[in-house]
Amino acid sequence: MKKFALAGNPNSGKTTLFNILTGSSAHVGNWPGVTVDKREGVYKKGKTPISLVDLPGIYSLAPYTPEEVISRNFILEEKPDCVINIVDATNLERNLYLTTQIMEIDVPMVIALNMMDVLEKQGDKIDEVKLSERLGIPVIKVSALHGTGVHELMQKAIECSKEKRKATTVLENCDVAHLIGDVNIALEAQGIENPLFHAIKLVENDELEVKMHPTTIKMVDDFKNTFSDDTFGTDFEALVADARYKHITKNYSPLLVKKNNGLKLTSSDKADKILTNKWAGIPIFLVILFSLFHLTFGEDFLFLGKIFSLPTIEDLGLADNFGTALLACFYDGAVFSPGVILFNLMGLLTSTVFGYIGLGLESLGASDWVLGLVCDGVLGGIGGVLSFVPQIVFLLLLLSILEDTGYMARVAFILDRIFRKFGISGRAFIPMIMGFGCSVPAMINTRTLVDEKERTLTLRTIPFFSCGAKLPILTAVAGAIGMMTGRDGSIISFAMYVLGMVVAVVSILLMRSTTQRGEVSPFIMELPAYHKPSFKGLMVHLWDKIKHYVKKVFTVILASTIVIWFLSNFGWNWQMCEIEQSILASIGQLIQPLFTPLGFGSQLNSYGWVFVVAAITGLIAKEEVIATFGTLASIFALSGVEGAAAVNAMAIGTGITWAGLIAFIVFNMTTIPCFGAVATAKGETLKGKFRWTLLFWIVASYTVSMMAYLVLSWWWTSFIFVALAVALIFGIKLYNKNHPIGEKK
Amino acid sequence: MKTLKDFEIGERGIITKVSGEPRIKRRLFDMGLTPGTEVYLRRKAPFGDPIEITVRGYELTLRNAEAEHIETEAKK
């Protein structure tokens, strides 16, 4: 099968084109750097199927960011049959800058001139025939969004892939053209592939190339002794970049005729005037963030219940039937927010359906252990997880809207100054907020951060931004705390989210002054124009997430609920037994003392280990925690209890206090994330850093949840922690004063 | 010599020189901030930093720390 690569600038519509060509549902966002790893798909609409690789978006083939290196190495080493270079017609000069670099590789190439719809709407015109002639490369007009021109593009690419293409360069007339020519000949004589590309990169003094060709670089160095440019001196890297842009402005830019000069106020500018306003920018961001959570978790939507002191369902004295249960999904003393309504409806649906399954099994005369396994084990576990699906999807939908419109990039812009105070750039905000959805893409996105230390820092703190799968833990346990203390559970949830962020900030500050010392990396980022998120795009995006989540429910989670049910119902002698004698109980009792200082390894009775076991199962997947609750709640209550009610029953049964429950949430939020995220972290961290990252998560979760438990149980212990913190800060300051950064190895 | 850092909102200029650390300089060049290019200061973030400029027909944000290394002259 032939293999084509898609290469282009970030935000040039590359991923949209990839999705259209492959029918895949890759994630599309509106900020630079959504595709940070290469992805593969198959184009099936032609005569023969073609494998397509979507390379990360890049501005250049310089070796400075991991994405640039990935793309460059892919084209050089994997030798695709054709490179489809996507060029955003509305941003011609900067996009063609990359084109002039890809041209220098001996690979067949086609240009997809994208965003033609936007260009034409603006009344601008482009002469693509002349552009193609001048570049010496076929140019096809497309609109990835509307899918126009894409099949012509593929046909052209197939045609091109049949012939070899010799590399060309736009640097033929620049001041170092002779040097490039000489180095090219020298490399060709050494039998090196793509000599022109390597020659130019050597002249640019490219880090990777200098290491690869230590003898040939001497030619460049010798030349430097005889040559000096008026503007650039012997800085050939700058000279070459300048020559490329000069060539582009002289030869290609005039082919684009603009209707107006581009400095008119567009609707994007008008939106920016408000959203990134000097005074209103940050307050607006906070309101949007609050609305996001209020819409998803608010148990008193718009605070209507409080304002009008609405009656509860009990006050209304309605009959106890299905209609009332349905009403209770929407309203109980307050109107629920959309997210909560979705959760309630799904809960009602699963419990009704599962109830009938249980009755059905009973009427068939199923044995006790079958009933136990199906109702308490499987359905209890899965039901607990499934009822959260709509609410999680809703949160993801809201996050996707923010992402697709381009607002996220603006948030990075307005928050950069504040983030810098903590030692990271505003760009780190993007992976962090993605963490609220899922840690895995968030961790991969840290590749867009230039500085290695900043990447490590951000990656380590991503789990603290509570992901969608941790949401059930939060809602259920916070709900139980609400039941115990008579407070609003949603406020506790919100406070826990905030606490997660605070822990992230503190750990960043701490690492920046100890193991990850250094300057904040530069912040040079494109601000894409706002656009309306397309309905199709959003749905594709969401379906991708739901698919992933539901698949997990019916595979890993289903399997492990069965295992946990088995372990909690069978003893070491492989006979069914009471839970106190079960395998799970003995394992739980063994590790439980470790968690006693954290408040959720209770010593009061023989069930004190249930929360510990739940937390441990969370290492497989965080949904597991709530599934385990569903399975274990049958010890304390009638079966079929889920979520907050299950946690409440378990807390009462074990004598664990609300402070212990808070510590439990904190522990789950800050500890080692799920299996998938750990695997991603391993792939994304530098060699040797992964072990420390794991250790960091263990230490952070243990310390913070212990502090939460102790301070909430005995307020005066806060003095001890304050004193310890002061001593720690003092110690670090003193150490850093005596060991300035420069001297560190 | 006026650097981009000293621009007022709405001001225009032509880049004459870009200096600073090689990595950052290369990045700025890659993004199209080469000598002879026109830049326009679009807006500043809350607290006056970072800034947003228009260059080669698109919007780019950078910090004052980087803008300081971009020398300009008035548009003729």
Side-chain angles (χ1 to χ4, degrees):
Chain A
M1 192 160 43
K2 280 196 172 174
K3 186 180 267 181
F4 293 178
L6 291 180
N9 275 197
N11 222 45
S12 61
K14 207 163 44 61
T15 305
T16 313
L17 183 65
F18 178 78
N19 285 349
I20 278 208
L21 290 174
T22 61
S24 142
S25 50
H27 175 132
V28 187
N30 186 17
W31 72 57
V34 175
T35 311
V36 276
D37 199 355
K38 52 177 200 281
R39 255 183 327 222
E40 288 197 57
V42 178
Y43 174 73
K44 293 176 190 141
K45 286 165 197 153
K47 277 182 198 145
T48 51
I50 285 160
S51 158
L52 278 176
V53 179
D54 185 19
L55 296 174
I58 46 171
Y59 295 108
S60 166
L61 293 177
Y64 292 134
T65 62
E67 303 113 288
E68 286 173 346
V69 179
I70 290 176
S71 301
R72 170 170 162 166
N73 289 348
F74 184 85
I75 302 175
L76 287 173
E77 285 157 21
E78 307 270 320
K79 300 188 188 70
D81 296 294
C82 183
V83 173
I84 298 173
N85 175 207
I86 292 124
V87 169
D88 175 358
T90 63
N91 199 341
L92 199 62
E93 292 181 5
R94 206 202 57 219
N95 275 260
L96 286 174
Y97 178 76
L98 177 67
T99 309
T100 65
Q101 295 183 59
I102 304 175
M103 274 163 65
E104 289 158 0
I105 301 175
D106 293 315
V107 67
M109 191 178 168
V110 179
I111 287 171
L113 199 60
N114 193 21
M115 312 250 184
M116 285 310 300
D117 52 318
V118 183
L119 194 87
E120 277 157 14
K121 213 171 147 194
Q122 287 171 359
D124 302 346
K125 282 199 179 75
I126 193 163
D127 188 344
E128 86 277 11
V129 179
K130 274 209 178 112
L131 181 65
S132 171
E133 272 169 24
R134 290 185 187 175
L135 281 163
I137 292 165
V139 175
I140 309 289
K141 282 189 191 177
V142 299
S143 163
L145 193 67
H146 300 293
T148 51
V150 296
H151 298 292
E152 291 90 319
L153 173 73
M154 284 306 285
Q155 255 161 18
K156 197 68 178 173
I158 293 167
E159 209 177 287
C160 288
S161 68
K162 288 175 184 153
E163 284 168 47
K164 286 214 161 91
R165 191 185 68 90
K166 191 95 187 102
T168 52
T169 178
V170 299
L171 300 169
E172 276 161 347
N173 299 315
C174 81
D175 293 341
V176 290
H178 278 296
L179 176 63
I180 293 172
D182 291 348
V183 179
N184 184 10
I185 292 166
L187 289 175
E188 219 169 355
Q190 293 169 31
I192 283 162
E193 286 184 322
N194 292 307
L196 183 64
F197 176 83
H198 291 295
I200 293 166
K201 291 293 167 221
L202 266 179
V203 170
E204 285 180 8
N205 215 21
D206 180 297
E207 284 170 7
L208 299 173
E209 298 290 328
V210 172
K211 266 183 234 153
M212 274 163 63
H213 310 286
T215 47
T216 321
I217 188 70
K218 284 212 182 73
M219 290 175 72
V220 180
D221 292 337
D222 291 343
F223 184 76
K224 276 187 186 168
N225 295 330
T226 64
F227 175 87
S228 185
D229 182 83
D230 296 339
T231 323
F232 301 105
T234 55
D235 182 357
F236 292 169
E237 192 173 19
L239 193 147
V240 167
D242 184 59
R244 285 185 202 282
Y245 270 116
K246 279 214 175 89
H247 185 90
I248 292 166
T249 20
K250 196 175 151 211
N251 298 291
Y252 312 139
S253 305
L255 300 176
L256 175 72
V257 184
K258 287 201 170 186
K259 199 175 165 196
N260 60 54
N261 246 347
L263 290 169
K264 216 186 84 189
L265 221 56
T266 61
S267 51
S268 215
D269 291 319
K270 282 177 208 151
D272 260 342
K273 271 223 144 102
I274 304 163
L275 293 175
T276 64
N277 182 280
K278 197 173 169 185
W279 304 108
I282 290 176
I284 288 175
F285 164 67
L286 293 175
V287 168
I288 290 177
L289 199 64
F290 176 79
S291 315
L292 190 85
F293 288 107
H294 186 65
L295 281 167
T296 317
F297 309 118
E299 309 226 312
D300 190 354
F301 189 52
L302 301 174
F303 306 105
L304 293 172
K306 275 217 181 66
I307 296 168
F308 299 106
S309 344
L310 298 169
T312 63
I313 286 192
E314 217 179 346
D315 296 338
L316 293 170
L318 293 171
D320 191 13
N321 56 22
F322 187 76
T324 314
L326 194 62
L327 175 67
C329 293
F330 294 86
Y331 173 89
D332 191 3
V335 181
F336 297 140
S337 66
V340 175
I341 292 173
L342 286 171
F343 167 73
N344 290 341
L345 285 174
M346 190 69 181
L348 186 65
L349 181 74
T350 51
S351 60
T352 315
V353 171
F354 291 177
Y356 282 121
I357 294 178
L359 285 176
L361 282 175
E362 245 172 280
S363 67
L364 287 172
S367 62
D368 271 357
W369 77 269
V370 172
L371 272 177
L373 173 63
V374 175
C375 296
D376 300 337
V378 175
L379 297 183
I382 288 189
V385 182
L386 273 186
S387 34
F388 283 98
V389 172
Q391 196 177 21
I392 293 173
V393 168
F394 185 73
L395 177 67
L396 289 173
L397 174 74
L398 296 181
L399 280 174
S400 310
I401 292 174
L402 286 189
E403 203 180 296
D404 290 3
T405 50
Y407 181 64
M408 292 282 210
R410 267 70 187 186
V411 178
F413 173 69
I414 58 173
L415 291 183
D416 178 66
R417 187 65 204 274
I418 299 170
F419 269 53
R420 219 180 325 157
K421 284 239 177 330
F422 305 127
I424 47 173
S425 77
R427 264 201 102 141
F429 166 81
I430 291 166
M432 283 177 179
I433 200 118
M434 276 177 87
F436 284 127
C438 175
S439 296
V440 173
M443 283 178 176
I444 295 173
N445 189 274
T446 59
R447 281 191 201 167
T448 54
L449 303 172
V450 198
D451 180 59
E452 204 50 60
K453 284 183 177 161
E454 190 174 350
R455 282 194 67 198
T456 310
L457 281 171
T458 311
L459 188 132
R460 284 181 182 168
T461 48
I462 280 172
F464 303 165
F465 296 84
S466 203
C467 73
K470 290 179 188 171
L471 172 62
I473 309 177
L474 209 60
T475 334
V477 182
I481 297 170
M483 288 180 188
M484 287 170 101
T485 58
R487 277 173 218 277
D488 185 358
S490 72
I491 291 177
I492 300 169
S493 300
F494 186 72
M496 288 292 112
Y497 267 101
V498 175
L499 182 73
M501 292 189 263
V502 171
V503 176
V505 168
V506 172
S507 0
I508 288 168
L509 282 174
L510 211 62
M511 283 191 274
R512 260 301 189 204
S513 51
T514 53
T515 59
Q516 308 292 325
R517 287 164 71 189
E519 295 289 309
V520 181
S521 66
F523 182 72
I524 304 167
M525 187 176 90
E526 181 189 357
L527 287 181
Y530 286 99
H531 62 68
K532 247 190 262 154
S534 81
F535 179 75
K536 199 177 145 205
L538 277 177
M539 286 307 119
V540 159
H541 195 150
L542 274 183
W543 172 236
D544 199 35
K545 297 273 165 78
I546 301 171
K547 215 168 54 184
H548 172 76
Y549 194 84
V550 173
K551 201 170 127 198
K552 213 158 60 168
V553 171
F554 287 103
T555 51
V556 185
I557 295 172
L558 176 64
S560 37
T561 44
I562 294 174
V563 170
I564 288 172
W565 181 84
F566 176 80
L567 292 178
S568 61
N569 281 280
F570 285 79
W572 290 104
N573 55 3
W574 306 110
Q575 297 290 320
M576 222 174 154
C577 63
E578 289 302 309
I579 196 155
E580 292 93 327
Q581 281 92 43
S582 70
I583 302 175
L584 195 68
S586 59
I587 298 173
Q589 277 154 4
L590 192 71
I591 49 173
Q592 165 199 349
L594 269 176
F595 294 89
T596 304
L598 273 52
F600 59 87
S602 162
Q603 300 291 353
L604 293 176
N605 60 31
S606 47
Y607 300 118
W609 47 272
V610 288
F611 283 93
V612 175
V613 168
I616 300 294
T617 57
L619 297 182
I620 304 167
K622 294 294 158 191
E623 298 91 329
E624 201 67 60
V625 176
I626 213 75
T628 310
F629 282 160
T631 312
L632 294 180
S634 58
I635 309 173
F636 305 103
L638 298 168
S639 60
V641 183
E642 283 165 11
V647 178
N648 193 31
M650 287 167 71
I652 294 168
T654 53
I656 283 166
T657 61
W658 65 271
L661 289 182
I662 296 251
F664 180 79
I665 301 180
V666 174
F667 182 81
N668 279 291
M669 265 172 76
T670 52
T671 196
I672 300 176
C674 69
F675 215 73
V678 170
T680 312
K682 189 167 195 303
E684 296 299 319
T685 43
L686 281 183
K687 237 185 170 175
K689 288 239 166 104
F690 176 63
R691 273 177 300 164
W692 294 108
T693 304
L694 281 182
L695 187 70
F696 165 75
W697 285 328
I698 294 171
V699 172
S701 54
Y702 201 84
T703 325
V704 180
S705 47
M706 182 168 69
M707 275 168 65
Y709 172 63
L710 292 178
V711 170
L712 291 171
S713 303
W714 300 282
W715 64 270
W716 50 265
T717 52
S718 54
F719 292 122
I720 301 171
F721 291 117
V722 169
L724 284 174
V726 170
L728 184 69
I729 294 166
F730 193 72
I732 292 170
K733 283 241 155 113
L734 200 71
Y735 178 89
N736 288 349
K737 207 173 159 189
N738 295 327
H739 301 79
I741 297 176
E743 287 172 25
K744 224 178 130 191
K745 263 188 192 167
Chain B
M1 190 59 69
K2 194 167 192 176
T3 70
L4 190 54
K5 186 187 164 211
D6 306 317
F7 270 38
E8 299 291 327
I9 292 171
E11 197 171 335
R12 255 166 244 254
I14 306 281
I15 299 173
T16 53
K17 196 181 170 199
V18 178
S19 54
E21 202 224 314
R23 256 167 189 278
I24 298 171
K25 199 168 69 174
R26 172 63 196 248
R27 190 84 187 153
L28 293 171
F29 275 128
D30 282 347
M31 300 306 279
L33 293 158
T34 55
T37 314
E38 184 181 339
V39 281
Y40 168 77
L41 184 72
R42 210 165 189 99
R43 67 175 57 79
K44 294 183 175 191
F47 312 112
D49 192 18
I51 59 171
E52 184 188 338
I53 59 168
T54 301
V55 59
R56 295 187 187 272
Y58 77 98
E59 271 73 60
L60 182 75
T61 158
L62 60 161
R63 292 202 193 112
N64 285 332
E66 284 106 42
E68 203 174 28
H69 295 297
I70 301 168
E71 291 174 18
T72 61
E73 61 183 16
K75 198 187 171 186
K76 279 159 216 151

